[in-house]
Amino acid sequence: MSSEKYVTPGDDLGPISKYTAGSGAYVNEGQIRATLCGKIVVDKNENGGDRVNVVTSRSKVADFVINVGDKVLCRVLRTNYNQVYVDILSVGDHMLPLSCKGVVRREDISAKEVDKTVISELFHGGDIIRASVISLGDNKQYYLSTVGDGLGVMMLKATQE
């Protein structure tokens, strides 16, 4: 397993027949899955077998700064009438070891006809979107915009009908 592979919670890390679950991992139906966003690290357990861990680097997160104007990739968590709440997963080409919270306000979704924008028709939980950072916000979240070329929903969450 590559030590440079990054995962998000729920990602498959390997079968229990090959690995034991270490820190940042859990076992579900015979598979080891990630509980954190981070890098996969395989080491030896006390019995000499391979143990898979998910390691986050808080110092790297602290050193990594999101700036106004950065393009970010996000997962939609939920929506309401006025806002879309997201987890920021990566900035440019750099995946974040830990996700950050962001919000896209109604007025920052489209450049025209803001009052006719129906958020629930455009965004759904689980969608992957690309946005631009327009404000560092407060200590809870960044403010984002999907106005511009190449911004908006990049991948829809599969729906069951």
Side-chain angles (χ1 to χ4, degrees):
M1 191 172 290
S2 169
S3 63
E4 291 300 315
K5 182 177 178 188
Y6 287 88
V7 293
T8 58
D11 284 354
D12 183 22
L13 304 177
I16 58 172
S17 60
K18 188 174 180 182
Y19 301 104
T20 58
S23 68
Y26 68 98
V27 176
N28 181 20
E29 297 179 2
Q31 293 288 30
I32 300 173
R33 301 196 181 278
T35 60
L36 306 168
C37 289
K39 183 170 59 170
I40 296 174
V41 175
V42 178
D43 61 8
K44 297 292 182 190
N45 63 22
E46 52 279 348
N47 298 329
D50 287 335
R51 176 177 50 204
V52 64
N53 304 279
V54 178
V55 178
T56 61
S57 174
R58 294 199 184 269
S59 62
K60 285 186 181 177
V61 173
D63 293 342
F64 192 84
V65 178
I66 297 176
N67 295 303
V68 172
D70 285 346
K71 301 295 188 263
V72 294
L73 199 62
C74 310
R75 180 184 309 121
V76 175
L77 298 173
R78 62 187 166 86
T79 64
N80 68 20
Y81 179 76
N82 288 318
Q83 300 180 64
V84 179
Y85 298 91
V86 300
D87 264 341
I88 301 172
L89 304 174
S90 68
V91 178
D93 295 333
H94 304 287
M95 186 165 178
L96 297 176
L98 297 172
S99 63
C100 301
K101 301 292 182 201
V103 65
V104 183
R105 298 172 297 189
R106 169 188 299 284
E107 58 270 20
D108 300 321
I109 290 173
S110 176
K112 41 189 158 172
E113 298 184 357
V114 173
D115 55 338
K116 293 183 182 180
T117 301
V118 180
I119 292 176
S120 63
E121 292 177 3
L122 300 173
F123 301 94
H124 304 92
D127 288 353
I128 302 296
I129 67 169
R130 182 169 303 281
S132 177
V133 177
I134 58 172
S135 169
L136 302 180
D138 51 27
N139 61 352
K140 294 181 184 175
Q141 61 196 6
Y142 292 91
Y143 289 107
L144 310 172
S145 172
T146 58
V147 176
D149 293 336
L151 303 178
V153 176
M154 306 303 286
M155 186 170 69
L156 296 172
K157 177 186 177 198
T159 58
Q160 296 178 352
E161 295 186 37

